[in-house]
Amino acid sequence: MKRALLAAVLAFAACAAFAGDHLVRLETRAGVHTGYWWMQRPGATAVLLLIPGGAGGIGLKNGVPTSTNFLVRSRDRFTAAGFDVAILGKPTDHADMDLAFRASPAQVEDLRHVVERVHAVSGKPVWLVGTSRGTVSAAAGAIGLGDAVAGVVLTSSITAPNEPDAVENLPLERVRVPVLVVHHELDLCPVTPPQEAHRIVDKLVNAPAKKLLLVDGGGPAYGPHCEPMYFHGFVGMEQDVVDAIAAFVREHTGAKP
């Protein structure tokens, strides 16, 4: 009887938490608003600010995110792993969050306001987690925000060395928080070659902890090589990658010089 009651209480709490997920909009620059999808859970140990790639955005339809981006479609896995989740949307002045914008002071300012808000609401340390183009945003945020963020995770990073705003071409020596770099060995997207991912880690000379994780597996993959349902988006191994990210975050939250 007690077990049944406990199960009912836990189920109710989970439903209540899910029902509370919602879109938040705030002014992040003069006349510019940025939205994020907020998922707060009891007992969370940190906030993961998920930064999708591509043009950006969460694909909000009928009141819920519908993007197939790796981070967006994995959001419930991250909350189940014990984190609050915020998924970054587009600012109102950019329909396409290209690499130049993602590396810019304007993007950092947008991130600053979102990080400050979710930290104030949750009271938890905030990690930036980017994928594909979103890794440029996450890296720029780590460089510009300093110890306002607890750490950074970069998945399927923009690593093409001839791209001026590739992650490796940013001033990564200014990053002073733990960094995890995750890449799929079968990623065939021309701007995210996995063999270049080590350059990111090599340039993180002042990060108190850093790790390169190359994964292999998953599938079946389909669609264009730079799209989320190919290996670029860790298709078929979402849980494995989420588990690896969660383990790194748990281990290194608070690991600052």
Side-chain angles (χ1 to χ4, degrees):
M1 182 68 177
K2 290 182 178 179
R3 288 183 178 178
L5 180 59
L6 178 60
V9 170
L10 292 175
F12 175 79
C15 291
F18 179 77
D21 298 348
H22 62 283
L23 184 69
V24 178
R25 296 179 74 250
L26 67 158
E27 188 173 39
T28 53
R29 285 173 280 127
V32 175
H33 290 77
T34 301
Y36 63 90
W37 186 254
W38 180 233
M39 305 170 71
Q40 190 168 19
R41 298 293 185 266
T45 57
V47 180
L48 304 185
L49 176 53
L50 308 182
I51 309 174
I58 64 177
L60 191 68
K61 293 181 181 178
N62 299 319
V64 295
T66 61
S67 170
T68 57
N69 177 271
F70 161 62
L71 294 178
V72 181
R73 72 175 190 267
S74 300
R75 61 190 182 277
D76 291 325
R77 299 178 189 270
F78 284 113
T79 57
F83 304 108
D84 290 335
V85 164
I87 311 175
L88 187 72
K90 300 177 185 179
T92 52
D93 64 344
H94 276 80
D96 184 354
M97 297 171 68
D98 59 16
L99 295 183
F101 170 73
R102 289 177 181 274
S104 71
Q107 173 76 119
V108 174
E109 191 63 17
D110 292 344
L111 289 170
R112 182 189 309 279
H113 284 271
V114 175
V115 167
E116 289 176 352
R117 174 66 65 87
V118 299
H119 176 68
V121 170
S122 70
K124 306 295 192 304
V126 181
W127 282 66
L128 304 180
V129 183
T131 198
S132 195
R133 281 189 187 181
T135 59
V136 176
S137 299
I143 293 165
L145 300 182
D147 61 6
V149 298
V152 184
V153 179
L154 307 173
T155 71
S156 301
S157 299
I158 302 295
T159 51
N162 60 344
E163 170 54 59
D165 295 311
V167 174
E168 66 193 74
N169 292 330
L170 301 179
L172 297 179
E173 70 279 0
R174 292 170 53 190
V175 176
R176 297 180 180 274
V177 294
V179 182
L180 173 65
V181 178
V182 186
H183 223 105
H184 200 294
E185 290 183 345
L186 299 180
D187 187 344
L188 298 179
C189 181
V191 294
T192 60
Q195 66 271 19
E196 299 290 342
H198 72 92
R199 296 179 184 274
I200 297 173
V201 177
D202 292 344
K203 293 184 177 182
L204 291 165
V205 294
N206 291 310
K210 56 184 180 180
K211 180 179 180 180
L212 172 61
L213 176 62
L214 294 175
V215 301
D216 186 11
Y222 59 90
H225 292 165
C226 295
E227 293 300 312
M229 303 313 291
Y230 199 73
F231 293 114
H232 178 74
F234 304 101
V235 64
M237 61 181 314
E238 293 88 349
Q239 191 62 55
D240 292 331
V241 177
V242 167
D243 289 345
I245 292 171
F248 188 87
V249 172
R250 292 190 199 104
E251 180 180 1
H252 295 290
T253 293
K256 298 177 181 176

